[in-house]
Amino acid sequence: MRINNSQVALLLVDVQNDFLPGGALAVKEGDRILPVIQKLQGQFSRILATQDFHPKDHESFAANHPSKNPGDVIDLHGLPQVLWPVHCVQGTWGAAFSEQLQTSSWEAIFQKGKNKSIDSYSGFDATRAVNLRPQDGEKALEELKHAGVKLMESTQVLTYV
Ligand SMILES: [Zn+2]
């Protein structure tokens, strides 16, 4: 199936310093998606991005719960919540996009996680997993496939542009 260009957008999800090597919640080899994004960006007229953008008192941070550690799961207002290290705090270097990315052509940036009581994970594209447990990323991709999500390599994406 070929998709009309007006229906196509490149969605960049949380390509922020805290999720890259050296960041507070670094994804191992997370910087490997940067060249992929750089290559794809030039092929899309419509580029959107998400930005994890937490207040410092966000309730997903383990540091905001006495005697809790990153990776612990708590009940947060009736929902299970994985606790994370403090990351992507509004106005910090960690919340900023990688300086290796050209952001001037991005059409919109959707900030998320701004409500201190609600965590949010959203959007998919070139991605790497946090992998609190070694196989988390692979399991997530399998779950997405079973739910009907079509996954593709970046070279396949270019055939739709
Ligand atoms: Zn977050």
Side-chain angles (χ1 to χ4, degrees), residues 101-121:
L101 297 175
Q102 290 279 2
T103 61
S104 59
S105 62
W106 295 1
E107 186 173 321
I109 295 169
F110 300 95
Q111 295 178 330
K112 59 190 182 59
K114 294 169 75 172
N115 180 325
K116 75 172 197 164
S117 299
I118 301 172
D119 207 3
S120 53
Y121 316 103

Side-chain angles (χ1 to χ4, degrees), residues 14-27 30-31 34 50-54 56 86-101 103 111:
D14 300 353
V15 191
Q16 298 167 252
N17 291 322
D18 268 347
F19 296 125
L20 296 170
L25 187 49
V27 173
D31 55 337
L34 296 175
T50 65
Q51 183 179 32
D52 217 25
F53 209 62
H54 298 305
K56 65 183 176 190
V86 174
H87 66 279
C88 298
V89 173
Q90 298 170 6
T92 65
W93 173 85
F97 293 104
S98 168
E99 293 169 2
Q100 294 181 47
L101 297 175
T103 61
Q111 295 178 330

